Amino acid sequence: MQLPDFENRLALSDDILMSVEKPARYIGGEINAVIKDKRRVAVRFAMCFPDVYEIGMSHLGIQILYDMFNRYEDVWCERVYSPWVDLDQIMRERKIPLFALESQEPVRNFDFLGITLQYEMCYTNILQVLDLSGIPLLAADRGEDVPIVIGGGPCAYDPEPIAPFFDLFYIGEGETAYRQLLDLYKENRAAGGGRQTFLLRAAREVPGIYVPSLYAVAYHADGTIASFVPTQEGVPAVIRKEVVMDLDHVPYPAKPLVPYIKVTQDRVVLEIQRGCIRGCRFCQAGQIYRPVREKSLESLKEYAIAMLEQTGQEEISLNSLSSSDYSRLEELVDFLMETCREKKVNISLPSLRIDAFSLDVMGKVQDVKKSSLTFAPEAGSQRLRNVINKGLTEEDILHGAALAFEGGWSRVKLYFMLGLPTETEEDIRGIAALCNKIAALYYETVPKEKRNGPVQIVASTSFFIPKPFTPFQWAGMCTKEQFLEKAALTKQSVREQLNQKRIKYNWHEADVSVLEGVLARGDRRVADVILAAYQKGCLYDAWGEHFQYELWLEAFAQCGLDPAFYTTRERRKDEILPWDFLDCGVKKEFLWREWERAQREETTPNCRMECQGCGAARFGGGVCFERKGGPV
Amino acid sequence: MKIRIKFSKYGPLRFIGHLDIMRFFQKVIRRAGIDVTYSAGFSPHQVMTFAAPLGVGLCSLGEYMDIEVNSQQGAEDMKRRLQNACPYGIDILSVKALQKTAGNAMASVAAASYAAVFRDRSRSFDDYIGQCAAFLAREEILIRKETKRGTAEVNIRPGIYSLGIEDGALVFTVDASSAGNIRPSVVTEQFLRFAGASEQENAFQIVRLEIYTRSGEEAGLIPLDEVGEAF
Ligand code: SF4
């Protein structure tokens, strides 16, 4: 009898795979996964997203770098994700080393372990990945026999709380300097150089590279930073981010990976531009990805078709911070609608401003009765929206909602933040009042016989967390108690509305926001707390059911650090911030000017209306040079 | 035009569950450029039915799905396109045309045959060859089954149509209809217990060999793809 192949060549036995939830997380072999002959590559790179597979597989940045690295003949890039808690336990008990999905070989044998830093609440998962891999948690304890651990992504714009766990960080967009870094690695190895020589040379020679061990931090008695300086000659005092100026001529994955199991983003993702012209003052992405750079319509069309054909995905989505600002959006959407109708592919259009155009498009691509409209006013009053520079007025919202109600929509989602600088009770009450107005508008706009059931308003609030490289980087953050009071007030004022039955209100957990506040603006000393929290058993902090705030508080106490120092304290103008040694293009003076304008409730026009001379023009392209004459 | 596709599933793909395999094939069909029929509406989906779910961890040499196509360039072309769009672990074994009136893959299932082998290939079921006849001679083989109202005792003996040892593997054909489906691991465990062997839970690998429907006057068992015709 001829039986099929069932030999197990995986890192985990059938026994283990059959006993964990979703074994497909660990077997690799997905469509478009890259397999190379390990004897014929010079560098093995393990690319890690420190969260569960379904989240990590949904991340565009990893797909871009995976594709880019694997285009290099001498490099084999593989993927690693955090084992879920069930497997985590088994691996610890049976001492099974963490492995990369493609080769199923231990990460410890790789040349590099790259970890993407997308949100602060994954920091304990970084330690899990290192620990399970058998890599010493502290860079200082690592010898020649373990991979170089490199971090990158938005949280690298304040790498300090995790600095001791990394050998180096890559600041900015990955497409520009990795080749140089890998060449240096090969050259150094061929010359018999070790880890420390490589790190020193990388810091000196490769742009965008930050090697934390080559900098010394001193503190004032009050805990603020007194100095932050390189300890070796030739190591830059300021590291400027890397940025791609021509997005049409850098690799983009035309053959993205297709997972076997359902993941969070189970679709083809077309990146249409980087950066955002708007300058909302709470938003980090709006600053660190400046200037706005668009991809050409022609290359987007080509990629859309190639990606759909190579993956067989049944949905395509646009990726950008604000798709409505893409200058050729109408043409792109028309093209996609045509293509997708032919190919029977669904289109999802997140981050579109609600207006006549977007409603027309959405009416064509989705079932109006089942879908909902999304607005993100972020604040309940015009005054506070001016403070945060959110250029969305009540009139815009009501106008958009009226159009939508006439078009058959009856569900509206609204996103707000609580705890924004200068916020008053009135601003908070404004949230409920706005929801009520929208509900009332439905009954005014849509005659009874045309109504598709009652109107449904869902208002969600998150707690405001000041982030580095934003005008609010100096702001004090609320305490947990203040946050909860604000949420209670919001809830109460929703209840006082005439249409309260039609409004559903959700709010975020407060503890996790406080912790995120510490990690977002922390300095190097916070690393001790993260390490202590991990050793106490903290893991998967981004997952509500696994978050253990008590253990974190114990860790702070044990390390003698007060979370309030990092959260509630407003910073002075002359304070050295932990991330000041990084240069994201946008200048500190510009951010301070914006912070002052915020306090005066003054708005600032966007890049296309009037350049503000933020500093990002020095990269020499993008929106800054769209008009004749260039930036101011 | 209705098409019946027979495929195998093995290697690491044995860890992909039934629902995921269905989603997987929708993408295979798109990648293969098959002119498949879609349902109407805002999120059109492919008209597709699978014969019988295969448990996670099992391999198979006889899986079936039915699709509907608007146009085609012959069975060979379709088979080649589908195969090219599949990774290691799925082989397209046959592509046949179905009569309009033929029942769909799921509704037609009557029985399935399986082979159980030791994962440790140095071991074989030959030691138990003598036990088969006695096992089948029993009138009742009672197992506990979870139902909506707690557990119940079920006699699976009438649903075991044949059982024997072949090439060191335990091979059996059992009821796989929606009403009387018998899980292959249950049969293997019952047999080993009867034979007095105590084995680890994952000591053996189960391979589904074929899925059958009933046909003809005798209502005999025939493989699902014998219902279809070459094109
Ligand atoms: S320099 Fe001017 S146009 Fe360029 S990103 Fe800054 S504000 Fe916008």
Side-chain angles (χ1 to χ4, degrees), chain A residues 373-380 412-418 431-432 434-435 457-464 486-487 490-491 494 503-509:
Chain A
L373 294 178
T374 305
F375 292 99
E378 308 293 0
V412 181
K413 282 190 203 158
L414 293 153
Y415 291 98
F416 298 95
M417 275 188 275
L418 290 174
I431 294 175
L434 181 59
C435 295
I457 314 266
V458 180
S460 306
T461 61
S462 61
F463 295 120
F464 169 64
K486 286 169 192 287
T490 315
K491 191 172 168 193
V494 165
I503 310 171
K504 188 172 173 343
Y505 171 54
N506 304 319
W507 66 96
H508 235 248
E509 291 295 322

Side-chain angles (χ1 to χ4, degrees), chain A residues 1-10 12-18 22-24 27-29 31-32 258-263 266 308-314 343-346 362-368, chain B residues 8-16 20-21 23-24 26-28 30-31 38-39 42-44 46 56-61 85-88 115 117-119 121 166-167 169 171 200-203 205 207 209:
Chain A
M1 189 173 12
Q2 193 66 39
L3 289 178
D5 163 33
F6 56 85
E7 195 193 318
N8 186 325
R9 290 175 293 267
L10 302 166
L12 303 172
S13 67
D14 279 55
D15 259 333
I16 294 176
L17 285 167
M18 293 303 289
K22 305 194 190 173
I27 62 173
I31 302 299
N32 298 333
V258 187
Y260 290 116
I261 54 174
K262 220 170 166 44
V263 300
D266 219 351
L308 288 171
E309 282 174 358
Q310 299 285 351
T311 59
Q313 290 281 21
E314 40 272 327
K343 294 184 176 288
K344 301 281 193 293
V345 170
N346 300 320
M362 291 193 301
K364 286 179 189 152
V365 304
Q366 53 189 229
D367 187 348
V368 171
Chain B
S8 61
K9 181 183 171 200
Y10 56 90
L13 264 74
R14 68 185 181 277
F15 297 109
I16 311 295
D20 292 323
I21 283 290
R23 293 178 343 104
F24 162 84
Q26 289 170 4
K27 296 186 175 98
V28 167
R30 284 174 183 277
R31 287 196 297 272
Y38 284 87
S39 68
F42 269 103
S43 24
Q46 299 173 11
V56 175
L58 272 64
C59 293
S60 177
L61 293 171
C86 284
Y88 179 77
V117 287
F118 284 102
R119 220 174 270 295
R121 299 303 290 268
E166 254 176 70
D167 295 345
V171 177
Q200 295 277 318
E201 200 188 327
N202 282 308
Q205 170 71 44
V207 178
L209 302 173

Side-chain angles (χ1 to χ4, degrees), chain A residues 443-606:
Chain A
Y443 295 107
E444 283 162 32
T445 341
V446 191
K448 230 188 187 132
E449 63 280 6
K450 286 199 171 160
R451 280 177 207 159
N452 157 28
V455 65
Q456 293 175 46
I457 314 266
V458 180
S460 306
T461 61
S462 61
F463 295 120
F464 169 64
I465 301 164
K467 294 275 161 113
F469 291 107
T470 67
F472 291 161
Q473 64 179 356
W474 290 277
M477 183 174 147
C478 295
T479 61
K480 176 179 167 181
E481 293 68 30
Q482 287 168 327
F483 277 145
L484 293 175
E485 272 167 36
K486 286 169 192 287
L489 177 60
T490 315
K491 191 172 168 193
Q492 185 201 326
S493 44
V494 165
R495 287 244 180 88
E496 288 163 5
Q497 302 300 318
L498 212 58
N499 291 301
Q500 55 113 342
K501 289 228 170 82
R502 312 272 33 106
I503 310 171
K504 188 172 173 343
Y505 171 54
N506 304 319
W507 66 96
H508 235 248
E509 291 295 322
D511 328 338
V512 69
S513 302
V514 169
L515 180 62
E516 189 182 327
V518 176
L519 301 181
R521 291 192 295 172
D523 53 33
R524 255 183 214 200
R525 294 169 301 180
V526 172
D528 293 340
V529 180
I530 298 171
L531 184 58
Y534 171 72
Q535 281 161 347
K536 288 176 188 299
C538 290
L539 194 61
Y540 280 108
D541 298 298
W543 295 72
E545 72 269 34
H546 293 292
F547 180 59
Q548 304 183 69
Y549 191 51
E550 301 314 311
L551 294 184
W552 275 98
L553 290 181
E554 278 175 31
F556 276 104
Q558 183 183 318
C559 299
L561 282 185
D562 178 7
F565 174 80
Y566 299 97
T567 52
T568 57
R569 186 173 62 89
E570 184 171 323
R571 280 67 162 166
R572 290 190 321 269
K573 188 180 182 185
D574 60 358
E575 179 170 337
I576 298 177
L577 303 172
W579 52 91
D580 274 355
F581 70 100
L582 296 177
D583 172 6
C584 76
V586 173
K587 287 182 291 206
K588 200 174 178 185
E589 299 83 78
F590 167 77
L591 295 174
W592 182 263
R593 205 156 75 221
E594 280 292 288
W595 175 221
E596 288 183 325
R597 287 176 77 117
Q599 283 155 332
R600 293 199 301 269
E601 301 170 14
E602 283 173 24
T603 59
T604 297
N606 71 48

Side-chain angles (χ1 to χ4, degrees), chain A residues 97-134:
Chain A
L98 185 60
F99 53 92
L101 293 184
E102 280 75 1
S103 64
Q104 298 274 311
E105 290 181 357
V107 170
R108 198 175 195 278
N109 303 344
F110 280 58
D111 297 289
F112 285 92
L113 169 60
I115 302 180
T116 184
L117 309 166
Q118 296 296 321
Y119 32 85
E120 293 82 359
M121 301 317 292
C122 71
Y123 286 174
T124 51
N125 282 63
I126 296 174
L127 296 178
Q128 174 213 29
V129 166
L130 294 172
D131 210 359
L132 292 177
S133 300

Side-chain angles (χ1 to χ4, degrees), chain B residues 3 24 46 54 99 149 220-221 224:
Chain B
I3 309 283
F24 162 84
Q46 299 173 11
L54 185 70
Q99 299 283 333
R149 273 167 279 136
L221 293 176
L224 273 189

